[in-house]
Amino acid sequence: MNTATPARRRGKAAPAVSAGPFIQCRNLTRTYKMGDTEVKALRGVTLDIREGDYVAVMGASGSGKSTFMNLLGALDRPTSGELVIGGERLSGLSADALAAFRSRMVGFVFQQFNLLPRTSALDNAALPLVYAGVPAVERKRRAEARLQQVGLGDRMDHQPSQLSGGQQQRVAIARALVNDPRILLADEPTGALDTRTSAEIMAIFDRLNADGITIILVTHEPDVAEHARRKLTFRDGVIVEDRT
Amino acid sequence: MNPLAALPVALNSLRVNALRSLLAMLGVVIGVGSVIVMVSISEGAKQAVEQQIASLGANLLVVRPGSSAFGGRRGGAGTATLLTDADVDAIRNEVANVAAASGEIGSSAAMVAGGTNWTTRIQGVNEDFFRVRDWRLERGRLFTAEEFRAGARVAVIGTTVAEQLFGVSDPVGQVVRIGNVPVEVIGVLQSKGQSAFGTDQDDVAFMPATTARSRVIGFTFNQRDPVFAIYVELAGGANPAHVQADIEELLRIRRNVLPGAEDNFNVRDMAEFIRARNETAAQLGLLLAATAAISLIVGGIGIMNIMLVSVTERTREIGLRLAVGARRRNIRDQFLIESVTLCVTGGLIGLLAGVAGTMVVEAMGQFPVAIHPMVAGLAIGSAAFVGIFFGFYPAHRASRLDPIEALRFE
């Protein structure tokens, strides 16, 4: 499954050694057809993101930021334009090829956690490995390691309903990390959490980024965006502000 | 990803919605259960036929005078047309592939032994009869060809007669009176039970036809050594149709049937006759099984419905699975396995219900039933088929969901 990935560049030195843009967007557009009317969600986005960067994406609802995130996460394909991530051109890939790409490159964290109900934290965290073809023993080992990493080593057998919101989001982060992805995409990861818990989650993100993983997160909250090194602001399908 | 890896997921999802799963299965349970009951009834009818054929004697042809000629109304020669011992000998000696043959002539008569009496069928036969009709001896001996020729006053009796006249004591060597004639009981036959026509086959006494004609059967015939019917046993591997044709040809000559005229007798393959008579029962069973199969289809529609509900309910879960790297076929397999698990579980319960139902039918005694071991395979196979067939559409639909839409689904 992972053999196609080029040599991993991770660890503390990652940002320094990244050569060339990790993510290249060239004039990306995405148009939805809703009946007879066309909705232009993205109207031409061009930018590069280095590996190991920490990017906050902001903008009002309907500004195109979610569409942009879906493209970066290989959940969707651009209507036109070029998207290259880690040397792979995503524009023309089939649905299954996109799934394979997600499986080895991307981890997702959602606002609503999206954990499987009545399923233990361990099994939730191990879910992506099931689809990566990892044997059961190895799945358990890796999921355990990731749960330890997010501070849930003592809650592995708990089901989501037995966990607080912050704990559930940590399970979701462990799940996003279990495949050793190179990009972590987070869509309002603290949107459903109180201030103190939000701070804990953001501390985890900071640590992960320091370890070399590229993080791109959507947020409304300025203090969450402050954690990032780079802020992109969307309006009407284009980037209106790109601040480092 | 191995499709079977989805099995724990499927089982978990069924367990979580236990009541709903059970109700959804109910259609399959009823469908599989009724298929099993009906197939068992059909199978029972088939086995009953084979038993009747076996009790009749294997490879048996029966020759009777034609009813149209009975009494000689159509006979060109103007004679009575009963068959005779001479016909029996001719069939035995002149027709190829005949292993044995016996005439039969009978009448009802009272047998008296000691202080008690019993009226039964007295049948006059020859020494071949017992092997032709597959009668086996329980005690004593059968009569011989010499005793047949000599008209010996001996009888071989069925178990019902033995019980009625002698109770628990041994009938062999005892003397019974038939009319005024003392007859020695030389053998008792093994029980055959009920015939295909519902009569007690063991309520019978056999004597040499020679003795029966002269001593027991009161009325006279205008023919020498008549018999009512001739039973013919075919040699092993013989073609019944060929032997039947040979017998017909022989008898047409012996009975002076003119070329082109109708036979004044008929030759029947009894096994065929009974099969044909019982085919309706077996066919009815199959028809009922087909009806039961329709209830299985209705059950399948219930499964499809519940799977569609399940797919809708778990849209976000599907979206998540797609986001973390599931291929479309992984999603399809997961729901297919869930549907098959649901159906096969229903099939297993239906199997138990069907076997129980069959036992109830058996206990009611209305139909003969037989549970073939194959029904287990039938139950599970048809349930799995229903699961795949009716689960495919919901599973396919789940696999076509757009991950973004699915994740956003409320």
Side-chain angles (χ1 to χ4, degrees):
Chain A
M1 263 318 144
N2 287 327
T3 49
T5 313
R8 293 283 169 100
R9 286 167 295 213
R10 54 174 57 253
K12 297 232 186 304
V17 297
S18 73
F22 175 54
I23 299 173
Q24 298 177 47
C25 305
R26 292 290 173 272
N27 205 21
L28 283 182
T29 70
R30 181 70 174 94
T31 307
Y32 297 102
K33 283 207 175 74
M34 291 192 158
D36 289 340
T37 58
E38 287 193 341
V39 180
K40 292 194 161 94
L42 279 190
R43 297 163 180 267
V45 171
T46 299
L47 90 157
D48 293 338
I49 297 173
R50 297 180 294 113
E51 176 148 41
D53 210 344
Y54 198 164
V55 182
V57 177
M58 308 186 73
S61 114
S63 63
K65 62 182 192 301
S66 295
T67 306
F68 178 66
M69 293 296 274
N70 290 337
L71 292 177
L72 289 187
L75 290 167
D76 196 5
R77 275 168 287 202
T79 308
S80 71
E82 283 276 294
L83 177 59
V84 177
I85 300 178
E88 280 188 74
R89 183 184 307 264
L90 297 190
S91 312
L93 294 184
S94 70
D96 279 354
L98 286 177
F101 177 86
R102 292 196 290 272
S103 177
R104 63 175 185 275
M105 286 291 261
V106 191
F108 292 94
V109 178
F110 306 94
Q111 182 177 5
Q112 295 301 334
F113 324 137
N114 277 332
L115 299 179
L116 298 187
R118 293 171 295 258
T119 305
S120 71
L122 187 67
D123 287 344
N124 263 299
L127 185 66
L129 297 175
V130 171
Y131 298 110
V134 176
V137 177
E138 176 71 5
R139 287 207 294 267
K140 185 162 183 285
R141 197 187 61 74
R142 279 162 72 172
E144 274 172 4
R146 290 308 188 180
L147 285 168
Q148 304 272 8
Q149 190 183 352
V150 297
L152 282 179
D154 54 343
R155 297 270 196 290
M156 304 219 213
D157 297 330
H158 288 50
Q159 297 186 353
S161 58
Q162 299 165 310
L163 296 171
S164 70
Q167 288 169 334
Q168 290 187 52
Q169 193 60 300
R170 289 193 217 188
V171 175
I173 293 171
R175 180 181 65 196
L177 294 173
V178 79
N179 263 354
D180 299 330
R182 294 168 73 184
I183 313 170
L184 198 59
L185 293 177
D187 190 354
E188 306 253 12
T190 60
L193 302 175
D194 61 40
T195 319
R196 199 175 59 82
T197 319
S198 296
E200 285 170 18
I201 295 297
M202 289 317 295
I204 293 175
F205 280 128
D206 292 351
R207 215 165 55 231
L208 291 169
N209 180 252
D211 287 346
I213 193 165
T214 309
I215 296 179
I216 301 167
L217 60 88
V218 169
T219 184
H220 281 116
E221 298 159 63
D223 52 331
V224 169
E226 281 311 310
H227 288 258
R229 270 192 294 278
R230 185 175 177 187
K231 294 188 197 73
L232 302 175
T233 307
F234 279 78
R235 190 182 301 147
D236 295 332
V238 292
I239 297 174
V240 293
E241 197 183 335
D242 182 353
R243 224 158 21 92
T244 309
Chain B
M1 178 198 170
N2 183 348
L4 283 182
L7 194 60
V9 178
L11 288 175
N12 192 46
S13 139
L14 298 185
R15 194 172 46 79
V16 164
N17 292 307
L19 179 64
R20 196 173 82 182
S21 306
L22 203 70
L23 289 173
M25 267 181 222
L26 208 53
V28 175
V29 172
I30 292 170
V32 167
S34 41
V35 166
I36 285 175
V37 173
M38 295 315 159
V39 167
S40 298
I41 289 175
S42 173
E43 190 67 23
K46 233 193 292 175
Q47 285 193 11
V49 169
E50 293 307 321
Q51 267 168 23
Q52 286 165 13
I53 289 167
S55 83
L56 205 65
N59 294 322
L60 183 72
L61 295 179
V62 184
V63 189
R64 291 182 202 278
S67 60
S68 64
F70 197 80
R73 283 187 192 89
R74 291 182 84 188
T79 56
T81 51
L82 281 183
L83 297 157
T84 66
D85 277 349
D87 292 328
V88 175
D89 287 336
I91 289 171
R92 268 207 284 210
N93 299 330
E94 293 172 33
V95 179
N97 284 324
V98 167
S102 170
E104 180 214 63
I105 186 164
S107 164
S108 188
M111 298 179 85
V112 184
T116 174
N117 71 83
W118 181 251
T119 300
T120 186
R121 270 179 304 124
I122 309 287
Q123 301 224 326
V125 297
N126 73 15
E127 71 284 354
D128 271 358
F129 182 82
F130 302 98
R131 64 171 284 197
V132 172
R133 293 298 307 272
D134 204 23
W135 280 104
R136 289 188 196 129
L137 200 57
E138 187 174 287
R139 271 205 298 282
R141 64 178 183 86
L142 302 172
F143 58 78
T144 63
E146 286 70 41
E147 284 172 315
F148 173 78
R149 273 195 293 279
R153 297 174 192 178
V154 292
V156 179
I157 61 177
T159 50
T160 302
V161 175
E163 221 166 88
Q164 294 296 338
L165 290 179
F166 301 102
V168 291
S169 59
D170 188 358
V172 175
Q174 308 267 9
V175 173
V176 296
R177 245 175 347 94
I178 302 173
N180 295 322
V181 184
V183 173
E184 187 191 350
V185 176
I186 57 170
V188 179
L189 295 166
Q190 281 179 18
S191 172
K192 270 197 177 190
Q194 281 203 347
S195 76
F197 309 92
T199 53
D200 178 4
Q201 297 182 93
D202 300 319
D203 189 2
V204 71
F206 295 105
M207 299 176 70
T210 46
T211 321
R213 276 192 291 259
S214 60
R215 306 284 180 180
V216 178
I217 296 171
F219 43 94
T220 53
F221 305 94
N222 52 357
Q223 209 167 2
R224 235 175 93 83
D225 302 334
V227 292
F228 293 160
I230 300 174
Y231 295 91
V232 181
E233 182 191 339
L234 307 185
N239 183 335
H242 290 170
V243 179
Q244 186 172 343
D246 289 348
I247 292 172
E248 280 165 0
E249 196 187 331
L250 174 77
L251 290 180
R252 282 174 75 88
I253 295 165
R254 288 185 59 81
R255 293 161 69 82
N256 301 319
V257 180
L258 295 173
E262 243 179 84
D263 288 349
N264 54 8
F265 59 91
N266 58 61
V267 184
R268 257 209 192 111
D269 183 342
M270 284 312 280
E272 278 311 306
F273 178 64
I274 290 181
R275 273 198 197 99
R277 209 176 66 93
N278 286 281
E279 208 162 322
T280 15
Q283 275 171 352
L284 188 67
L286 284 180
L287 190 70
L288 291 171
T291 314
I294 290 173
S295 72
L296 197 57
I297 291 172
V298 174
I301 293 169
I303 294 290
M304 180 138 110
N305 183 35
I306 212 72
M307 289 308 297
L308 284 172
V309 169
S310 176
V311 167
T312 305
E313 269 184 1
R314 288 154 70 193
T315 300
R316 278 171 76 99
E317 176 191 325
I318 294 164
L320 174 81
R321 286 177 184 275
L322 288 168
V324 300
R327 316 288 202 275
R328 300 218 173 277
R329 66 167 181 279
N330 297 144
I331 302 294
R332 192 193 60 205
D333 290 352
Q334 178 190 336
F335 282 94
L336 260 187
I337 283 173
E338 238 178 85
S339 155
V340 169
T341 307
L342 197 64
C343 286
V344 169
T345 310
L348 287 172
I349 298 173
L351 176 64
L352 295 180
V355 170
T358 304
M359 285 166 155
V360 170
V361 170
E362 189 171 27
M364 292 191 313
Q366 298 282 354
F367 303 98
V369 298
I371 299 177
H372 199 281
M374 186 198 73
V375 296
L378 180 77
I380 293 162
S382 53
F385 175 77
V386 165
I388 292 171
F389 188 83
F390 289 98
F392 191 83
Y393 174 67
H396 179 74
R397 219 163 98 149
S399 76
R400 301 317 297 179
L401 284 174
D402 176 63
I404 299 163
E405 301 278 320
L407 277 168
R408 217 181 279 147
F409 186 83
E410 292 299 330

